[in-house]
Amino acid sequence: MKRQKTDGLDRQISYRLTKALDDDGRADWLDVRERAGMSRTLWRWSQRRVLLVAGVLVLAVGAAGASTGIIPWLGEAPKPIPPTIYPICGANDVQAKLHLHKSSQSRELSGSIELINTGDKLCALEGQPKVSLIGSGADSARLQVEMFSPVAKLKDADKTMFGFGGSDQTLLGRSLEPPDRSSVSFGWENWCGSDSGELTLRIQIPNGSEFAFSVTKLPECINPARASRLVFGTANGAPPPVGPSFPLRPKILPAKDGEPLVVEQGKVFHYRVALTNTSTSPYRFGEGCPAYGEQAHMGRWASGAASVPAFALGQYVLNCHSVGVVEPGKTVTFEMELPASKEPLDSKAEGEIYWGLDWRLMAKAPITMVGIPPKHSPSDVYGVFARSIPNATFSAYIENVVRETTSGEGSIVPGSSRVLLQMDKASESVYAWETVTGKFCFYFDRVSGCAEAAQYMKPVFLALDGFSSVGPSVIGGFAQDRVKRVDMAVDGKLSPVKLERNTFFAEFPHGVRVTAIVATLNDGSKMEIKHDQLDAAGMVPVG
């Protein structure tokens, strides 16, 4: 789920790759700087020395390119582009479509409102819309509309549905470009009112557009004493328009020795990209060299497959200054570098690398990814993963959850599938498994994830914070073998919670506040994690 708010270079490169992969949201260029973990040293040199060194570097780069025929890697990050401010859409230039979905595994309802620009020019929306239920039966239950879920605990309280990005706007997609349409998603729970009336969902946008949608599905009633909650997220904007394409066809070249391309965990990956002029005219780069994006993935990406997180990400400026004219049919070759993530991965796995100046000019190649064996594994601290315990058989639905959750996290350790807590509903039971990358993965009451060693090597970690305004709050997590008891501090009083098979679970009435988790270890010592420490410990906030 990616949101488009600016047409800066980061966002443009992100969109170009996702277009090439034919799936919005499967690739994320935007966390490249954080994941790279690099910083830049500030040197206090004189201007003369800087100019001298710069001249030497230019001569060295030119000499290297001339001697090998391969242009060296530049390593320059592209400069950020300020967001474009678009005109506000006219009231009659916006069309909307309502989509509702109710899963057999859920009592809630999910939906989205697709917003389309039918005008002649690019336009955007700003501000906070008004949402209400009208029609017969609308007053049969109290409705609580929230623009942002309180569970999200957003820091930007002044932001609006259509103004959450850097430009405080949401660019709308055009009707002639179906993949680019913009939308806003919402969740709806606890409808205890009439289901026989003609309910209509009305949305009034600050630009003057107003829409009324017939409601054909309703969420189930959970608690008649509570209001029905309709919770909206921030709008997903259309990607910015891309510039003209280059007449250059990229190709990722094999290794110099003819061996497969190998990306090693935590190391810089060196490879080469060839650009061939496919036009009938000579081509020369402009004054400013273009930016390119590169991304390496575990596994093979396929349309409709589960999300495949990137293992290595890069965004740099092409070293084109010394290229000169590229004649028709001629090829120029560039050295490339890509720092691989230090995150653990399989000891050896197949993957793919993508490189592109433009989503219309993408190249890909198979790679072999080599990882470092993890220092820790969940079986070191959780007895439920002992090899003497039989492997659990998951339903087809849970197996699908396992595949989606584990995608990009490494292969599943054979024989490590476990049902830790059996509930009346299979979807609410607690499932867990290990990966060869040392991750602890779980599925817990429709919440799934994979924990790093930094989390599960602590005595306890919280996996589920099912805080609800319409029913009981559900809280659960995992405890190491050295923990013999878990208590929750509820409204200032300690309350023991169920602990078995390294899993703790509790339900509390609506309105209570959990302020701390207290773990009692086998040696009698206690560890208290206060509410304001949960985030720092890598845990989901409680209450």
Side-chain angles (χ1 to χ4, degrees):
M1 56 233 177
K2 302 290 181 283
R3 296 189 178 95
Q4 170 58 40
K5 294 292 178 277
T6 75
D7 50 355
L9 186 57
D10 282 357
R11 187 65 65 181
Q12 293 185 36
I13 294 294
S14 175
Y15 175 63
R16 291 171 187 176
L17 181 76
T18 55
K19 283 283 292 187
L21 298 183
D22 191 32
D23 183 270
D24 291 335
R26 283 192 166 84
D28 188 1
W29 295 96
L30 304 182
D31 62 351
V32 57
R33 292 178 178 82
E34 289 79 8
R35 293 186 61 172
M38 296 182 293
S39 61
R40 186 172 298 176
T41 305
L42 298 178
W43 297 96
R44 298 182 181 274
W45 286 359
S46 68
Q47 184 177 10
R48 177 179 296 179
R49 183 173 297 182
V50 169
L51 292 175
L52 176 62
V53 173
V56 172
L57 287 175
V58 169
L59 291 174
V61 167
S67 62
T68 65
I70 301 175
I71 299 175
W73 183 66
L74 185 59
E76 177 184 330
K79 296 179 180 179
I81 300 175
T84 298
I85 304 299
Y86 296 96
I88 302 301
C89 299
N92 297 324
D93 291 335
V94 181
Q95 288 186 355
K97 296 180 181 179
L98 175 67
H99 303 276
L100 295 175
H101 176 71
K102 189 175 188 303
S103 170
S104 59
Q105 303 290 334
S106 175
R107 303 175 68 181
E108 295 83 20
L109 192 70
S110 61
S112 64
I113 298 175
E114 189 178 312
L115 298 164
I116 306 166
N117 173 14
T118 60
D120 297 330
K121 299 179 180 179
L122 293 174
C123 67
L125 295 177
E126 296 178 350
Q128 196 83 294
K130 295 180 180 179
V131 180
S132 59
L133 274 182
I134 59 175
S136 176
D139 297 331
S140 60
R142 183 164 58 92
L143 181 67
Q144 180 179 325
V145 179
E146 302 171 15
M147 286 300 136
F148 304 106
S149 170
V151 177
K153 299 183 182 297
L154 297 176
K155 297 179 181 179
D156 302 312
D158 59 330
K159 296 296 184 179
T160 62
M161 178 190 291
F162 295 119
F164 196 72
S167 64
D168 290 331
Q169 288 186 324
T170 295
L171 179 65
L172 294 195
R174 311 298 292 274
S175 58
L176 51 92
E177 300 170 343
D180 300 348
R181 293 177 184 172
S182 43
S183 64
V184 58
S185 299
F186 63 88
W188 193 2
E189 66 177 3
N190 193 46
W191 179 257
C192 299
S194 172
D195 58 0
S196 59
E198 296 182 358
L199 286 176
T200 299
L201 180 65
R202 180 173 64 185
I203 178 169
Q204 298 166 289
I205 303 176
N207 74 325
S209 299
E210 183 173 329
F211 305 99
F213 306 104
S214 296
V215 177
T216 57
K217 296 183 179 70
L218 289 166
E220 295 182 20
C221 178
I222 301 174
N223 187 343
R226 303 297 175 188
S228 179
R229 291 178 71 221
L230 189 58
V231 181
F232 284 82
T234 55
N236 298 305
V242 295
S245 183
F246 299 89
L248 302 171
R249 183 182 67 244
K251 180 181 180 180
I252 299 174
L253 301 179
K256 296 178 181 179
D257 55 5
E259 295 295 318
L261 297 171
V262 177
V263 179
E264 297 184 69
Q265 175 185 336
K267 295 185 178 181
V268 176
F269 172 49
H270 297 265
Y271 66 109
R272 297 167 299 154
V273 169
L275 297 179
T276 301
N277 184 357
T278 58
S279 70
T280 58
S281 302
Y283 178 78
R284 181 188 294 272
F285 288 98
E287 293 183 4
C289 292
Y292 65 87
E294 52 187 346
Q295 205 173 89
H297 294 266
M298 293 175 61
R300 296 284 191 267
W301 192 94
S303 180
S307 173
V308 183
F311 176 72
L313 300 151
Q315 186 179 333
Y316 301 100
V317 175
L318 190 69
N319 188 12
C320 73
H321 294 295
S322 61
V323 171
V325 176
V326 183
E327 298 294 338
K330 296 299 182 179
T331 298
V332 184
T333 302
F334 296 84
E335 286 281 0
M336 293 291 155
E337 294 187 12
L338 178 60
S341 170
K342 296 180 181 180
E343 294 290 325
L345 77 161
D346 285 350
S347 57
K348 190 173 184 179
E350 299 304 310
E352 286 181 326
I353 183 170
Y354 290 82
W355 187 98
L357 290 169
D358 190 303
W359 65 266
R360 296 158 291 187
L361 293 169
M362 294 294 299
K364 70 175 182 178
I367 55 175
T368 299
M369 312 189 79
V370 178
I372 302 171
K375 296 180 180 179
H376 303 283
S377 71
S379 57
D380 295 338
V381 292
Y382 295 124
V384 292
F385 287 118
R387 296 298 175 257
S388 59
I389 298 178
N391 189 59
T393 301
F394 293 162
S395 66
Y397 173 78
I398 299 301
E399 285 289 353
N400 185 59
V401 172
V402 170
R403 284 191 295 271
E404 291 183 354
T405 304
T406 313
S407 175
E409 302 289 356
S411 304
I412 300 173
V413 174
S416 68
S417 298
R418 301 287 186 270
V419 180
L420 302 186
L421 190 62
Q422 189 74 53
M423 306 294 284
D424 293 336
K425 286 187 176 181
S427 62
E428 297 177 356
S429 296
V430 181
Y431 304 87
W433 59 97
E434 291 184 272
T435 72
V436 296
T437 61
K439 302 284 183 67
F440 173 83
C441 299
F442 59 89
Y443 175 67
F444 202 158
D445 193 24
R446 299 187 297 278
V447 175
S448 61
C450 289
E452 306 278 352
Q455 290 175 296
Y456 67 71
M457 290 305 290
K458 298 179 184 294
V460 298
F461 81 89
L462 195 65
L464 176 66
D465 171 21
F467 179 75
S468 173
S469 64
V470 297
S473 296
V474 179
I475 296 174
F478 305 98
Q480 295 180 355
D481 292 343
R482 56 177 172 151
V483 176
K484 66 178 181 180
R485 177 187 173 104
V486 175
D487 293 89
M488 298 274 186
V490 181
D491 292 337
K493 297 181 180 179
L494 284 181
S495 299
V497 299
K498 183 178 182 180
L499 173 62
E500 63 180 46
R501 292 173 61 83
N502 296 113
T503 308
F504 60 89
F505 176 83
E507 287 187 345
F508 298 100
H510 164 66
V512 304
R513 179 174 177 78
V514 176
T515 57
I517 298 175
V518 180
T520 303
L521 307 186
N522 292 332
D523 61 5
S525 62
K526 296 181 183 295
M527 173 174 287
E528 181 180 14
I529 304 174
K530 295 185 180 299
H531 176 265
D532 58 2
Q533 296 175 325
L534 295 179
D535 282 337
M539 300 180 184
V540 180
V542 177

